Amino acid sequence: MLKVLLVDDEAPILNNLNRVLPWQDMGMVVAGMARSGMDALRIAEEEHPDLVLCDIRMPVMDGLTFVGKLREMGLNSEVLLITGYQEFDYAREAIRLGVKEYICKPIHYEELGNKLRDIGVQIRSRQYKDKLYNSIPMFQEIPAAESEHTKKTTEQLMNTAVQYITEHLNLDIGIDEVAHKLGISGSYFCLLFKNRFAMTFVEYVTLQRMEAAKFMLVHSDKSITTIGSGVGYQERRYFTKVFQKQTGMSPKEYRDLKRTEAR
């Protein structure tokens, strides 16, 4: 059973999240509930949750600050944010902290359940891959000049890479650029990246750009051209082509659909 931590300063919402969702059917168990970021950190330190469902707007310590503290503790729990914010800065910061999913208020519990099931699949898949990866002597393939320095800091290298990618989503970034930032060769960077994320560098960058674009399309009134430029696509036509390939619909169709669903 995957362990879940629920965090929301509003008791009715917290109780509804605990009662309404079919946690057991989803292969999950609520390991703790907290009404503040500080309480949530204490629970997280004890329980090491696989998944955190957290409101982004809370007094004293907001959701993003809480997630940042969670990462500082070394916990890589998947995070689903409950949000009403409409600014890209929040989307960018959320992506930098490893938040891949969000749901808008008012909460649609069927949609939330579907997202949680998808996240559960991702977590179990990652856990399986990590277990498999750790059971294989991968370092036999690492060039000797790099082995001693990097095998102990692979997670740090990848975290730095993810942060760099997130902060430069609006620019034309490449493998050699990021590898140089990390101080390793491009070929070795590709090996580490593929083993860690189960996708290529280009696939990952495209995915993060599309996630940021989807967030902005739903939570802001910025033009599609502006949003495309904000995630690294200077030509609206090319942005639309990539977005359609990833989602099956154009940016405008996606925005219209999500806003209709929110009514």
Side-chain angles (χ1 to χ4, degrees):
M1 300 285 277
L2 298 178
K3 293 196 290 186
V4 181
L5 171 59
L6 305 178
V7 189
D8 198 298
D9 63 308
E10 298 183 49
I13 292 179
L14 198 61
N15 291 329
N16 281 341
L17 290 171
N18 185 37
R19 290 188 297 103
V20 174
L21 293 163
W23 295 108
Q24 188 170 0
D25 292 346
M26 294 189 292
M28 302 178 185
V29 60
V30 176
M33 298 192 296
R35 293 186 60 186
S36 73
M38 294 303 296
D39 287 341
L41 285 176
R42 285 193 287 270
I43 296 173
E45 188 173 14
E46 295 175 0
E47 297 291 341
H48 289 199
D50 299 293
L51 170 64
V52 176
L53 183 57
C54 178
D55 189 9
I56 198 172
R57 186 186 305 189
M58 297 185 293
V60 183
M61 180 185 293
D62 64 21
L64 292 182
T65 303
F66 161 69
V67 177
K69 297 290 186 183
L70 200 68
R71 298 301 181 232
E72 289 175 9
M73 292 167 58
L75 297 178
N76 63 346
S77 313
E78 290 290 351
V79 179
L80 189 153
L81 285 177
I82 303 172
T83 176
Y85 278 92
Q86 299 184 0
E87 293 298 326
F88 175 51
D89 287 344
Y90 288 97
R92 170 179 280 179
E93 178 65 9
I95 294 171
R96 187 184 73 79
L97 294 170
V99 177
K100 295 183 177 62
E101 292 287 352
Y102 59 88
I103 194 162
C104 306
K105 291 181 176 179
I107 299 172
H108 188 290
Y109 284 95
E110 184 178 354
E111 178 187 353
L112 175 56
N114 290 335
K115 282 186 179 288
L116 289 170
R117 288 184 178 87
D118 289 342
I119 294 174
V121 171
Q122 294 170 21
I123 293 172
R124 292 183 178 92
S125 175
R126 186 189 68 203
Q127 290 175 343
Y128 172 77
K129 288 173 182 175
D130 287 346
K131 182 178 180 180
L132 183 63
Y133 175 77
N134 290 332
S135 69
I136 300 174
M138 291 296 296
F139 294 119
Q140 292 178 0
E141 302 177 14
I142 297 173
E146 295 174 321
S147 176
E148 290 304 314
H149 172 66
T150 58
K151 69 180 182 180
K152 297 178 182 178
T153 61
T154 298
E155 191 70 21
Q156 293 174 327
L157 288 172
M158 293 302 96
N159 287 342
T160 301
V162 166
Q163 180 175 345
Y164 187 85
I165 291 167
T166 302
E167 293 174 350
H168 296 80
L169 281 179
N170 62 321
L171 302 176
D172 184 17
I173 54 177
I175 291 171
D176 290 339
E177 176 184 344
V178 182
H180 178 73
K181 171 74 175 177
L182 301 178
I184 60 178
S185 69
S187 59
Y188 184 52
F189 169 70
C190 289
L191 172 66
L192 290 181
F193 199 91
K194 184 70 178 289
N195 284 332
R196 176 64 180 83
F197 298 104
M199 65 180 73
T200 67
F201 171 81
V202 173
E203 290 170 339
Y204 180 87
V205 172
T206 301
L207 179 63
Q208 298 310 310
R209 283 174 168 163
M210 293 302 102
E211 289 301 313
K214 287 191 288 185
F215 189 98
M216 286 190 287
L217 286 167
V218 175
H219 294 280
S220 80
D221 294 320
K222 297 180 188 293
S223 70
I224 291 173
T225 300
T226 300
I227 291 174
S229 178
V231 295
Y233 300 94
Q234 302 308 316
E235 296 183 9
R236 172 170 171 162
R237 182 180 300 177
Y238 184 58
F239 168 59
T240 299
K241 179 180 179 180
V242 175
F243 190 92
Q244 194 155 19
K245 182 178 180 180
Q246 291 286 323
T247 66
M249 61 187 80
S250 70
K252 183 179 185 304
E253 290 170 338
Y254 182 86
R255 170 177 269 173
D256 292 344
L257 175 64
K258 292 300 179 180
R259 290 186 173 179
T260 299
E261 291 176 348
R263 290 173 188 167

PDB file of all heavy atoms in Angstrom, residues 10-37:
ATOM      1  N   GLU A  10      -7.956  23.776   5.836  1.00  0.00           N
ATOM      2  CA  GLU A  10      -9.407  23.749   6.028  1.00  0.00           C
ATOM      3  C   GLU A  10      -9.841  22.341   6.424  1.00  0.00           C
ATOM      4  O   GLU A  10      -9.745  21.398   5.634  1.00  0.00           O
ATOM      5  CB  GLU A  10     -10.128  24.192   4.758  1.00  0.00           C
ATOM      6  CG  GLU A  10      -9.800  25.630   4.352  1.00  0.00           C
ATOM      7  CD  GLU A  10     -10.586  26.061   3.135  1.00  0.00           C
ATOM      8  OE1 GLU A  10     -11.825  25.861   3.136  1.00  0.00           O
ATOM      9  OE2 GLU A  10      -9.982  26.582   2.182  1.00  0.00           O
ATOM     10  N   ALA A  11     -10.353  22.207   7.661  1.00  0.00           N
ATOM     11  CA  ALA A  11     -10.734  20.894   8.185  1.00  0.00           C
ATOM     12  C   ALA A  11     -11.779  20.180   7.328  1.00  0.00           C
ATOM     13  O   ALA A  11     -11.659  18.970   7.102  1.00  0.00           O
ATOM     14  CB  ALA A  11     -11.230  21.038   9.626  1.00  0.00           C
ATOM     15  N   PRO A  12     -12.834  20.874   6.826  1.00  0.00           N
ATOM     16  CA  PRO A  12     -13.831  20.173   6.002  1.00  0.00           C
ATOM     17  C   PRO A  12     -13.221  19.537   4.753  1.00  0.00           C
ATOM     18  O   PRO A  12     -13.561  18.412   4.386  1.00  0.00           O
ATOM     19  CB  PRO A  12     -14.830  21.281   5.635  1.00  0.00           C
ATOM     20  CG  PRO A  12     -14.699  22.287   6.732  1.00  0.00           C
ATOM     21  CD  PRO A  12     -13.246  22.277   7.084  1.00  0.00           C
ATOM     22  N   ILE A  13     -12.316  20.271   4.091  1.00  0.00           N
ATOM     23  CA  ILE A  13     -11.674  19.729   2.887  1.00  0.00           C
ATOM     24  C   ILE A  13     -10.795  18.541   3.260  1.00  0.00           C
ATOM     25  O   ILE A  13     -10.804  17.498   2.586  1.00  0.00           O
ATOM     26  CB  ILE A  13     -10.838  20.814   2.185  1.00  0.00           C
ATOM     27  CG1 ILE A  13     -11.752  21.894   1.607  1.00  0.00           C
ATOM     28  CG2 ILE A  13      -9.969  20.196   1.083  1.00  0.00           C
ATOM     29  CD1 ILE A  13     -11.016  23.014   0.909  1.00  0.00           C
ATOM     30  N   LEU A  14     -10.050  18.681   4.344  1.00  0.00           N
ATOM     31  CA  LEU A  14      -9.166  17.603   4.792  1.00  0.00           C
ATOM     32  C   LEU A  14      -9.968  16.336   5.094  1.00  0.00           C
ATOM     33  O   LEU A  14      -9.599  15.230   4.679  1.00  0.00           O
ATOM     34  CB  LEU A  14      -8.403  18.061   6.035  1.00  0.00           C
ATOM     35  CG  LEU A  14      -7.140  17.284   6.423  1.00  0.00           C
ATOM     36  CD1 LEU A  14      -6.103  17.357   5.312  1.00  0.00           C
ATOM     37  CD2 LEU A  14      -6.566  17.830   7.720  1.00  0.00           C
ATOM     38  N   ASN A  15     -11.080  16.499   5.787  1.00  0.00           N
ATOM     39  CA  ASN A  15     -11.918  15.342   6.133  1.00  0.00           C
ATOM     40  C   ASN A  15     -12.552  14.727   4.898  1.00  0.00           C
ATOM     41  O   ASN A  15     -12.674  13.496   4.797  1.00  0.00           O
ATOM     42  CB  ASN A  15     -12.996  15.759   7.137  1.00  0.00           C
ATOM     43  CG  ASN A  15     -12.418  16.100   8.497  1.00  0.00           C
ATOM     44  OD1 ASN A  15     -11.398  15.540   8.894  1.00  0.00           O
ATOM     45  ND2 ASN A  15     -13.050  17.020   9.218  1.00  0.00           N
ATOM     46  N   ASN A  16     -12.974  15.575   3.948  1.00  0.00           N
ATOM     47  CA  ASN A  16     -13.566  15.053   2.715  1.00  0.00           C
ATOM     48  C   ASN A  16     -12.539  14.256   1.908  1.00  0.00           C
ATOM     49  O   ASN A  16     -12.852  13.197   1.355  1.00  0.00           O
ATOM     50  CB  ASN A  16     -14.114  16.195   1.860  1.00  0.00           C
ATOM     51  CG  ASN A  16     -15.454  16.701   2.358  1.00  0.00           C
ATOM     52  OD1 ASN A  16     -16.143  16.007   3.111  1.00  0.00           O
ATOM     53  ND2 ASN A  16     -15.820  17.907   1.964  1.00  0.00           N
ATOM     54  N   LEU A  17     -11.325  14.770   1.829  1.00  0.00           N
ATOM     55  CA  LEU A  17     -10.270  14.045   1.115  1.00  0.00           C
ATOM     56  C   LEU A  17     -10.049  12.670   1.731  1.00  0.00           C
ATOM     57  O   LEU A  17      -9.819  11.681   1.027  1.00  0.00           O
ATOM     58  CB  LEU A  17      -8.958  14.835   1.149  1.00  0.00           C
ATOM     59  CG  LEU A  17      -8.908  16.116   0.320  1.00  0.00           C
ATOM     60  CD1 LEU A  17      -7.634  16.892   0.624  1.00  0.00           C
ATOM     61  CD2 LEU A  17      -9.007  15.814  -1.171  1.00  0.00           C
ATOM     62  N   ASN A  18     -10.144  12.603   3.048  1.00  0.00           N
ATOM     63  CA  ASN A  18      -9.930  11.345   3.757  1.00  0.00           C
ATOM     64  C   ASN A  18     -11.096  10.381   3.577  1.00  0.00           C
ATOM     65  O   ASN A  18     -10.902   9.165   3.431  1.00  0.00           O
ATOM     66  CB  ASN A  18      -9.713  11.628   5.248  1.00  0.00           C
ATOM     67  CG  ASN A  18      -9.359  10.378   6.028  1.00  0.00           C
ATOM     68  OD1 ASN A  18      -8.645   9.502   5.544  1.00  0.00           O
ATOM     69  ND2 ASN A  18      -9.868  10.271   7.244  1.00  0.00           N
ATOM     70  N   ARG A  19     -12.324  10.912   3.559  1.00  0.00           N
ATOM     71  CA  ARG A  19     -13.515  10.050   3.559  1.00  0.00           C
ATOM     72  C   ARG A  19     -14.029   9.702   2.168  1.00  0.00           C
ATOM     73  O   ARG A  19     -14.461   8.574   1.921  1.00  0.00           O
ATOM     74  CB  ARG A  19     -14.656  10.733   4.335  1.00  0.00           C
ATOM     75  CG  ARG A  19     -14.426  10.822   5.830  1.00  0.00           C
ATOM     76  CD  ARG A  19     -15.668  11.334   6.559  1.00  0.00           C
ATOM     77  NE  ARG A  19     -16.002  12.703   6.156  1.00  0.00           N
ATOM     78  CZ  ARG A  19     -16.978  13.023   5.319  1.00  0.00           C
ATOM     79  NH1 ARG A  19     -17.720  12.076   4.761  1.00  0.00           N
ATOM     80  NH2 ARG A  19     -17.222  14.278   5.018  1.00  0.00           N
ATOM     81  N   VAL A  20     -13.989  10.667   1.255  1.00  0.00           N
ATOM     82  CA  VAL A  20     -14.670  10.491  -0.037  1.00  0.00           C
ATOM     83  C   VAL A  20     -13.892   9.583  -0.986  1.00  0.00           C
ATOM     84  O   VAL A  20     -14.482   8.768  -1.713  1.00  0.00           O
ATOM     85  CB  VAL A  20     -14.919  11.863  -0.695  1.00  0.00           C
ATOM     86  CG1 VAL A  20     -15.480  11.682  -2.104  1.00  0.00           C
ATOM     87  CG2 VAL A  20     -15.861  12.703   0.158  1.00  0.00           C
ATOM     88  N   LEU A  21     -12.593   9.710  -0.993  1.00  0.00           N
ATOM     89  CA  LEU A  21     -11.794   8.963  -1.964  1.00  0.00           C
ATOM     90  C   LEU A  21     -11.620   7.497  -1.551  1.00  0.00           C
ATOM     91  O   LEU A  21     -11.393   7.207  -0.371  1.00  0.00           O
ATOM     92  CB  LEU A  21     -10.423   9.617  -2.129  1.00  0.00           C
ATOM     93  CG  LEU A  21     -10.466  11.008  -2.778  1.00  0.00           C
ATOM     94  CD1 LEU A  21      -9.175  11.748  -2.548  1.00  0.00           C
ATOM     95  CD2 LEU A  21     -10.753  10.891  -4.271  1.00  0.00           C
ATOM     96  N   PRO A  22     -11.685   6.581  -2.502  1.00  0.00           N
ATOM     97  CA  PRO A  22     -11.555   5.140  -2.204  1.00  0.00           C
ATOM     98  C   PRO A  22     -10.098   4.723  -2.078  1.00  0.00           C
ATOM     99  O   PRO A  22      -9.553   4.022  -2.942  1.00  0.00           O
ATOM    100  CB  PRO A  22     -12.227   4.482  -3.420  1.00  0.00           C
ATOM    101  CG  PRO A  22     -11.936   5.436  -4.544  1.00  0.00           C
ATOM    102  CD  PRO A  22     -11.967   6.812  -3.940  1.00  0.00           C
ATOM    103  N   TRP A  23      -9.449   5.138  -1.005  1.00  0.00           N
ATOM    104  CA  TRP A  23      -8.014   4.935  -0.864  1.00  0.00           C
ATOM    105  C   TRP A  23      -7.610   3.467  -0.968  1.00  0.00           C
ATOM    106  O   TRP A  23      -6.658   3.124  -1.665  1.00  0.00           O
ATOM    107  CB  TRP A  23      -7.539   5.515   0.470  1.00  0.00           C
ATOM    108  CG  TRP A  23      -7.696   7.000   0.562  1.00  0.00           C
ATOM    109  CD1 TRP A  23      -8.599   7.699   1.315  1.00  0.00           C
ATOM    110  CD2 TRP A  23      -6.938   7.979  -0.161  1.00  0.00           C
ATOM    111  NE1 TRP A  23      -8.444   9.048   1.122  1.00  0.00           N
ATOM    112  CE2 TRP A  23      -7.426   9.249   0.222  1.00  0.00           C
ATOM    113  CE3 TRP A  23      -5.883   7.905  -1.078  1.00  0.00           C
ATOM    114  CZ2 TRP A  23      -6.912  10.426  -0.287  1.00  0.00           C
ATOM    115  CZ3 TRP A  23      -5.370   9.077  -1.592  1.00  0.00           C
ATOM    116  CH2 TRP A  23      -5.872  10.319  -1.209  1.00  0.00           C
ATOM    117  N   GLN A  24      -8.333   2.606  -0.276  1.00  0.00           N
ATOM    118  CA  GLN A  24      -7.955   1.190  -0.271  1.00  0.00           C
ATOM    119  C   GLN A  24      -8.062   0.585  -1.660  1.00  0.00           C
ATOM    120  O   GLN A  24      -7.197  -0.190  -2.084  1.00  0.00           O
ATOM    121  CB  GLN A  24      -8.828   0.409   0.715  1.00  0.00           C
ATOM    122  CG  GLN A  24      -8.359  -1.025   0.913  1.00  0.00           C
ATOM    123  CD  GLN A  24      -9.074  -1.709   2.064  1.00  0.00           C
ATOM    124  OE1 GLN A  24      -9.913  -1.114   2.714  1.00  0.00           O
ATOM    125  NE2 GLN A  24      -8.740  -2.961   2.310  1.00  0.00           N
ATOM    126  N   ASP A  25      -9.127   0.945  -2.382  1.00  0.00           N
ATOM    127  CA  ASP A  25      -9.299   0.436  -3.744  1.00  0.00           C
ATOM    128  C   ASP A  25      -8.173   0.895  -4.666  1.00  0.00           C
ATOM    129  O   ASP A  25      -7.857   0.224  -5.651  1.00  0.00           O
ATOM    130  CB  ASP A  25     -10.642   0.904  -4.312  1.00  0.00           C
ATOM    131  CG  ASP A  25     -11.832   0.263  -3.614  1.00  0.00           C
ATOM    132  OD1 ASP A  25     -11.615  -0.729  -2.887  1.00  0.00           O
ATOM    133  OD2 ASP A  25     -12.954   0.760  -3.778  1.00  0.00           O
ATOM    134  N   MET A  26      -7.589   2.048  -4.343  1.00  0.00           N
ATOM    135  CA  MET A  26      -6.504   2.578  -5.169  1.00  0.00           C
ATOM    136  C   MET A  26      -5.141   2.044  -4.725  1.00  0.00           C
ATOM    137  O   MET A  26      -4.105   2.439  -5.261  1.00  0.00           O
ATOM    138  CB  MET A  26      -6.496   4.115  -5.114  1.00  0.00           C
ATOM    139  CG  MET A  26      -7.720   4.757  -5.752  1.00  0.00           C
ATOM    140  SD  MET A  26      -7.593   6.572  -5.916  1.00  0.00           S
ATOM    141  CE  MET A  26      -7.655   7.095  -4.196  1.00  0.00           C
ATOM    142  N   GLY A  27      -5.156   1.161  -3.711  1.00  0.00           N
ATOM    143  CA  GLY A  27      -3.900   0.604  -3.216  1.00  0.00           C
ATOM    144  C   GLY A  27      -3.119   1.594  -2.387  1.00  0.00           C
ATOM    145  O   GLY A  27      -1.879   1.576  -2.371  1.00  0.00           O
ATOM    146  N   MET A  28      -3.849   2.468  -1.675  1.00  0.00           N
ATOM    147  CA  MET A  28      -3.208   3.512  -0.883  1.00  0.00           C
ATOM    148  C   MET A  28      -3.813   3.557   0.519  1.00  0.00           C
ATOM    149  O   MET A  28      -4.928   3.094   0.744  1.00  0.00           O
ATOM    150  CB  MET A  28      -3.388   4.886  -1.553  1.00  0.00           C
ATOM    151  CG  MET A  28      -2.840   4.973  -2.963  1.00  0.00           C
ATOM    152  SD  MET A  28      -3.127   6.604  -3.721  1.00  0.00           S
ATOM    153  CE  MET A  28      -2.505   6.312  -5.385  1.00  0.00           C
ATOM    154  N   VAL A  29      -3.064   4.148   1.437  1.00  0.00           N
ATOM    155  CA  VAL A  29      -3.546   4.331   2.797  1.00  0.00           C
ATOM    156  C   VAL A  29      -3.135   5.720   3.269  1.00  0.00           C
ATOM    157  O   VAL A  29      -2.023   6.173   3.003  1.00  0.00           O
ATOM    158  CB  VAL A  29      -2.980   3.243   3.748  1.00  0.00           C
ATOM    159  CG1 VAL A  29      -1.463   3.287   3.788  1.00  0.00           C
ATOM    160  CG2 VAL A  29      -3.545   3.393   5.145  1.00  0.00           C
ATOM    161  N   VAL A  30      -4.062   6.423   3.932  1.00  0.00           N
ATOM    162  CA  VAL A  30      -3.756   7.747   4.466  1.00  0.00           C
ATOM    163  C   VAL A  30      -2.919   7.573   5.731  1.00  0.00           C
ATOM    164  O   VAL A  30      -3.411   7.128   6.767  1.00  0.00           O
ATOM    165  CB  VAL A  30      -5.038   8.538   4.776  1.00  0.00           C
ATOM    166  CG1 VAL A  30      -4.693   9.879   5.427  1.00  0.00           C
ATOM    167  CG2 VAL A  30      -5.851   8.770   3.502  1.00  0.00           C
ATOM    168  N   ALA A  31      -1.648   7.926   5.637  1.00  0.00           N
ATOM    169  CA  ALA A  31      -0.722   7.735   6.756  1.00  0.00           C
ATOM    170  C   ALA A  31      -0.716   8.923   7.702  1.00  0.00           C
ATOM    171  O   ALA A  31      -0.184   8.831   8.812  1.00  0.00           O
ATOM    172  CB  ALA A  31       0.693   7.499   6.228  1.00  0.00           C
ATOM    173  N   GLY A  32      -1.301  10.044   7.294  1.00  0.00           N
ATOM    174  CA  GLY A  32      -1.340  11.214   8.156  1.00  0.00           C
ATOM    175  C   GLY A  32      -2.105  12.349   7.523  1.00  0.00           C
ATOM    176  O   GLY A  32      -2.249  12.426   6.302  1.00  0.00           O
ATOM    177  N   MET A  33      -2.638  13.243   8.388  1.00  0.00           N
ATOM    178  CA  MET A  33      -3.340  14.437   7.937  1.00  0.00           C
ATOM    179  C   MET A  33      -2.800  15.622   8.728  1.00  0.00           C
ATOM    180  O   MET A  33      -2.559  15.521   9.931  1.00  0.00           O
ATOM    181  CB  MET A  33      -4.851  14.306   8.138  1.00  0.00           C
ATOM    182  CG  MET A  33      -5.487  13.172   7.342  1.00  0.00           C
ATOM    183  SD  MET A  33      -7.306  13.265   7.326  1.00  0.00           S
ATOM    184  CE  MET A  33      -7.670  13.034   9.072  1.00  0.00           C
ATOM    185  N   ALA A  34      -2.618  16.740   8.049  1.00  0.00           N
ATOM    186  CA  ALA A  34      -2.063  17.924   8.708  1.00  0.00           C
ATOM    187  C   ALA A  34      -2.772  19.175   8.212  1.00  0.00           C
ATOM    188  O   ALA A  34      -3.160  19.262   7.047  1.00  0.00           O
ATOM    189  CB  ALA A  34      -0.567  18.028   8.431  1.00  0.00           C
ATOM    190  N   ARG A  35      -2.909  20.152   9.124  1.00  0.00           N
ATOM    191  CA  ARG A  35      -3.559  21.413   8.771  1.00  0.00           C
ATOM    192  C   ARG A  35      -2.563  22.555   8.640  1.00  0.00           C
ATOM    193  O   ARG A  35      -2.957  23.702   8.491  1.00  0.00           O
ATOM    194  CB  ARG A  35      -4.637  21.747   9.806  1.00  0.00           C
ATOM    195  CG  ARG A  35      -5.807  20.773   9.789  1.00  0.00           C
ATOM    196  CD  ARG A  35      -6.911  21.218  10.730  1.00  0.00           C
ATOM    197  NE  ARG A  35      -7.421  22.523  10.375  1.00  0.00           N
ATOM    198  CZ  ARG A  35      -8.321  23.206  11.101  1.00  0.00           C
ATOM    199  NH1 ARG A  35      -8.788  22.679  12.232  1.00  0.00           N
ATOM    200  NH2 ARG A  35      -8.742  24.399  10.722  1.00  0.00           N
ATOM    201  N   SER A  36      -1.294  22.231   8.701  1.00  0.00           N
ATOM    202  CA  SER A  36      -0.260  23.246   8.494  1.00  0.00           C
ATOM    203  C   SER A  36       0.977  22.588   7.911  1.00  0.00           C
ATOM    204  O   SER A  36       1.177  21.374   8.044  1.00  0.00           O
ATOM    205  CB  SER A  36       0.102  23.927   9.821  1.00  0.00           C
ATOM    206  OG  SER A  36       0.850  23.060  10.650  1.00  0.00           O
ATOM    207  N   GLY A  37       1.810  23.410   7.262  1.00  0.00           N
ATOM    208  CA  GLY A  37       3.031  22.879   6.691  1.00  0.00           C
ATOM    209  C   GLY A  37       3.976  22.319   7.743  1.00  0.00           C
ATOM    210  O   GLY A  37       4.634  21.309   7.514  1.00  0.00           O
TER     211      GLY A  37
END
